[in-house]
């Protein structure tokens, strides 16, 4: 699995800027503002990719809209993790045929993880003929060239060749949030969990050079961003392909040393690579948020082995104990799959007991969704869906009770939070986040406070959030 990371030559990325200029010339012939609509599905990595797509579009001369009927270019950035999400994307893409009938010159693009799946690409080719451009994550760096081909040749373009992936630096970024920023530190995955499509659509693990990551973080800190989230399919394995004496813990410490008032978050992590060194580094780095997303997926050893998760129940629990020894008040969240092929209710009980033993602050819970092309999709699964749904509900109920209890413990405390937006819910003016990333609805406050840290007195809570008021002490 070890392989040297391929880096796109700087001159090739520079050539994409030339295509941006050529496209801008084409658009300037018509004396009006051309608009683009970028619609993003899925994870934070997709959000980060969309920021680069917007950066390219802005360089081409496009403005932005949220109205598909007003857009000259529509880019649908997709996720392939779950079947339901994929069906929803295809339904929305199909509905765009009406927008294109009203606006025949409109260009519709499908990109992201779904576009890298051969079956999806062929379905788009055969049944969604209003889609003009399809490209996978590996081809994002040459989006200007692909779009220029569509604009000048008026033919459909498909760019989703199977490849291990590469790293391209120097792509322009158009961020939508002036308070929080995503920074991709690596791409791809080498773990091949049997239920997961990610290694097949995003390629092998490849790390950005530390100097490139740190340069981007310095720019963000200097620009006043208050929260920087380091992204990767498995950030804990950062640097293994670089041949340098720097792992993820070292990178985290280097980002922490950048001057400025900002908080560092990261996701996501694989338990097999979550190390004692990382826990100790988090504990001593004052800018690193005391929160750890550590997916466990199942509490049963047989199921974990069938998932190819490369750890067992006791190993996972030992990681949690080691983490809490270093950071006693750490917020721990996780992912859980219920109903993996062949999982019995007795085996599910091990998952439920692990949830109760750890006492997670929050869980992202899913009923197993088979993904074509993964080993799990071919596994025998005699367990009725009704049984899976019943177990899923038991898990949700158990976690909701834990979350409500943990949130109730905040009432009466004053917590330093980042004010990050306005709140549309009646009776509240602003939203904020605790260092542990808990949502806080704030009763009153001016929008000018967005992007600042404030002490908030917690006055109430429910299963999903806290609420409170600004402290008079600031």
């Amino acid at each position: 699995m070890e392989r040297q990371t391929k880096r796109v030559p700087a001159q090739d990325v520079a050539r994409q800027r030339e295509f941006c200029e050529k496209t801008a010339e084409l658009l300037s012939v018509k004396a009006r503002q051309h608009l683009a609509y970028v619609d993003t599905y899925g994870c934070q990595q997709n959000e980060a990719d969309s920021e680069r797509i917007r950066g390219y579009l802005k360089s081409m001369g496009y403005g932005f809209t949220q109205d598909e009927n007003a857009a000259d270019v529509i880019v649908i950035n997709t996720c392939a993790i779950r079947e339901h999400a994929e069906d929803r994307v295809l339904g929305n893409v199909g509905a765009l045929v009406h927008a294109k009938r009203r606006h025949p010159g409109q260009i519709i693009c499908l990109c992201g993880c779904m576009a890298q799946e051969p079956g999806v690409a062929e379905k788009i080719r055969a049944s969604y003929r209003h889609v003009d451009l399809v490209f996978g994550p590996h081809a994002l760096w040459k989006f200007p060239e692909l779009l220029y081909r569509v604009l000048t040749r008026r033919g459909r373009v498909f760019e989703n060749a199977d490849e291990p992936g590469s790293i391209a630096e120097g792509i322009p970024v158009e961020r939508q949030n002036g308070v929080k920023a995503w920074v991709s530190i690596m791409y791809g995955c080498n773990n091949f969990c049997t239920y997961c499509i990610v290694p097949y659509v995003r390629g092998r693990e490849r790390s950005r050079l530390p100097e490139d990551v740190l340069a981007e973080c310095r720019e963000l800190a200097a620009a006043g961003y208050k929260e920087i989230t380091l992204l990767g399919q498995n950030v804990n394995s950062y640097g293994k392909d670089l041949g340098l004496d720097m792992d993820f813990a070292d990178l985290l410490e280097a980002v922490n040393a950048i001057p400025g008032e900002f908080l560092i978050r990261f996701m996501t992590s694989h338990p097999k690579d979550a190390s004692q060194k990382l826990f100790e580094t988090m504990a001593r780095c004052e800018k690193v948020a005391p929160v750890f997303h550590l997916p466990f997926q199942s509490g049963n050893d047989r199921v974990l082995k069938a998932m190819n998760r490369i750890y067992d129940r006791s190993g996972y629990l030992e990681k949690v104990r080691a983490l809490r020894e270093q950071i006693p008040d750490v917020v721990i969240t996780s992912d859980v799959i219920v109903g993996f092929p062949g999982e019995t209710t007795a085996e599910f009980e091990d998952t439920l007991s692990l949830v109760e033993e750890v006492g997670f602050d929050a869980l992202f819970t899913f009923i197993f969704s088979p993904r074509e092309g993964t080993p799990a999709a071919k596994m025998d699964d005699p367990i009725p869906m009704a049984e899976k749904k019943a177990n899923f509900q038991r898990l949700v109920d158990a976690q909701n009770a834990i979350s409500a209890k943990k949130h109730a413990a905040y009432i009466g405390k004053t917590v330093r939070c980042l004010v990050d937006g306005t709140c549309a819910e009646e009776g509240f003016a602003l939203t904020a986040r605790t260092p542990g990333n808990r949502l806080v609805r704030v009763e009153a406050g001016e929008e000018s406070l967005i992007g600042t840290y404030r002490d908030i007195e917690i006055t109430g809570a429910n299963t999903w959030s806290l609420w409170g008021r600004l402290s008079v002490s600031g």
Side-chain angles (χ1 to χ4, degrees):
M1 191 59 66
E2 295 293 333
R3 64 178 74 208
Q4 186 175 2
T5 293
K6 176 184 174 184
R7 302 189 184 278
V8 178
Q11 61 267 29
D12 290 354
V13 178
R15 187 165 177 263
Q16 297 307 311
R17 291 195 287 271
E18 294 175 7
F19 280 107
C20 288
E21 293 170 1
K22 290 181 179 181
T23 300
E25 290 176 8
L26 286 177
L27 300 185
S28 67
V29 173
K30 296 182 179 179
R32 67 176 180 86
Q33 174 68 75
H34 288 70
L35 299 175
Y37 171 38
V38 181
D39 192 14
T40 309
Y41 296 79
C43 66
Q44 290 85 354
Q45 185 61 67
N46 274 20
E47 295 286 353
D49 288 348
S50 287
E51 290 179 342
R52 281 153 178 75
I53 291 169
R54 291 190 187 94
Y56 270 143
L57 287 165
K58 185 177 181 180
S59 297
M60 296 177 207
Y62 287 96
F64 298 100
T65 180
Q66 292 297 310
D67 182 358
E68 61 193 34
N69 293 298
D72 298 281
V73 173
I74 296 176
V75 183
I76 311 296
N77 190 4
T78 64
C79 173
I81 293 296
R82 303 184 69 212
E83 185 177 19
H84 174 70
E86 195 166 289
D87 291 343
R88 184 161 62 97
V89 169
L90 289 176
N92 291 342
V93 171
L96 290 176
V97 71
H98 305 295
K100 190 154 187 172
R101 283 173 184 161
R102 291 187 290 269
H103 187 353
Q106 186 179 69
I107 294 174
I108 299 175
C109 313
L110 182 84
C111 66
C113 294
M114 277 178 60
Q116 195 65 37
E117 295 182 86
V120 171
E122 288 308 309
K123 185 180 294 186
I124 295 293
R125 191 190 299 272
S127 303
Y128 297 78
R129 298 196 60 81
H130 58 294
V131 176
D132 302 282
L133 170 59
V134 175
F135 63 97
H138 307 323
L140 186 153
W141 70 271
K142 53 184 175 182
F143 171 55
E145 179 180 355
L146 301 175
L147 183 59
Y148 187 78
R149 283 167 56 187
V150 175
L151 285 166
T152 55
R153 299 181 187 179
R154 301 308 303 169
R156 306 175 79 197
V157 174
F158 286 74
E159 188 80 14
N160 64 334
D162 184 22
E163 56 175 283
S166 56
I167 295 281
E169 297 292 349
I171 298 174
V173 178
E174 179 68 10
R175 302 184 192 273
Q176 291 191 303
N177 188 313
V179 178
K180 302 179 180 182
W182 312 112
V183 175
S184 298
I185 67 169
M186 62 187 302
Y187 304 93
C189 183
N190 287 356
N191 290 309
F192 289 92
C193 300
T194 56
Y195 53 81
C196 186
I197 196 70
V198 168
Y200 305 96
V201 296
R202 283 202 170 265
R204 304 294 81 78
E205 286 181 355
R206 51 207 188 276
S207 305
R208 295 177 67 193
L209 293 172
E211 56 263 35
D212 293 325
V213 174
L214 294 174
E216 185 173 351
C217 291
R218 288 191 195 99
E219 290 175 2
L220 292 167
Y225 281 85
K226 298 301 182 183
E227 188 174 292
I228 298 173
T229 301
L230 307 179
L231 296 177
Q233 299 302 140
N234 176 21
V235 292
N236 302 151
S237 62
Y238 172 83
K240 289 184 176 180
D241 58 319
L242 294 178
L244 302 174
D245 188 22
M246 175 171 275
D247 59 16
F248 179 59
D250 297 325
L251 181 69
L252 204 61
E253 193 156 24
V255 176
N256 185 78
I258 294 172
E261 184 186 30
F262 61 92
L263 201 64
I264 305 167
R265 301 190 187 278
F266 60 86
M267 65 185 317
T268 189
S269 298
H270 194 295
K272 74 179 179 64
D273 297 311
S275 66
Q276 182 69 24
K277 178 183 176 181
L278 175 58
F279 303 155
E280 293 172 357
T281 300
M282 290 179 64
R284 68 171 176 268
C285 289
E286 74 283 357
K287 293 175 184 172
V288 176
V291 58
F292 207 116
H293 185 68
L294 192 63
F296 75 92
Q297 306 298 3
S298 172
N300 177 266
D301 285 348
R302 186 202 68 80
V303 176
L304 286 171
K305 185 175 182 180
M307 290 178 167
N308 192 36
R309 289 294 287 174
I310 324 177
Y311 57 84
D312 58 16
R313 176 192 178 98
S314 63
Y316 182 88
L317 290 172
E318 180 54 39
K319 299 273 186 179
V320 171
R321 283 191 288 271
L323 176 58
R324 283 182 167 152
E325 283 178 6
Q326 294 298 320
I327 312 171
D329 61 346
V330 66
V331 168
I332 303 178
T333 61
S334 193
D335 297 340
V336 188
I337 295 173
V338 174
F340 187 80
E343 180 189 60
T344 65
T345 292
E347 290 171 329
F348 165 77
E349 296 288 348
D350 289 339
T351 293
L352 197 60
S353 66
L354 188 147
V355 168
E356 292 168 344
E357 180 174 349
V358 173
F360 293 98
D361 293 83
L363 290 179
F364 297 89
T365 54
F366 310 92
I367 293 180
F368 172 76
S369 174
R371 309 308 297 127
E372 183 179 351
T374 64
K378 301 176 182 178
M379 293 180 180
D380 291 336
D381 191 12
I383 309 301
M385 180 55 71
E387 184 174 338
K388 295 183 181 185
K389 289 182 176 179
N391 289 338
F392 179 81
Q393 190 58 52
R394 290 176 62 199
L395 177 66
V396 170
D397 291 344
Q399 182 56 49
N400 284 349
I402 294 170
S403 296
K405 183 177 180 180
K406 284 180 173 285
H407 282 181
Y410 275 78
I411 298 174
K413 295 181 179 180
T414 297
V415 184
R416 192 74 168 173
C417 300
L418 173 62
V419 181
D420 61 357
T422 58
C423 185
E425 188 172 334
E426 186 177 354
F428 299 98
L430 300 170
T431 60
R433 290 280 176 174
T434 69
N437 209 31
R438 298 175 190 273
L439 172 64
V440 183
R441 294 181 170 87
V442 185
E443 294 173 5
E446 300 297 325
E447 288 189 30
S448 60
L449 295 176
I450 295 173
T452 65
Y453 288 95
R454 288 290 184 270
D455 289 335
I456 298 176
E457 298 174 11
I458 306 301
T459 59
N462 61 18
T463 302
W464 301 279
S465 67
L466 310 173
W467 54 88
R469 55 176 173 260
L470 294 167
S471 171
V472 293
S473 63

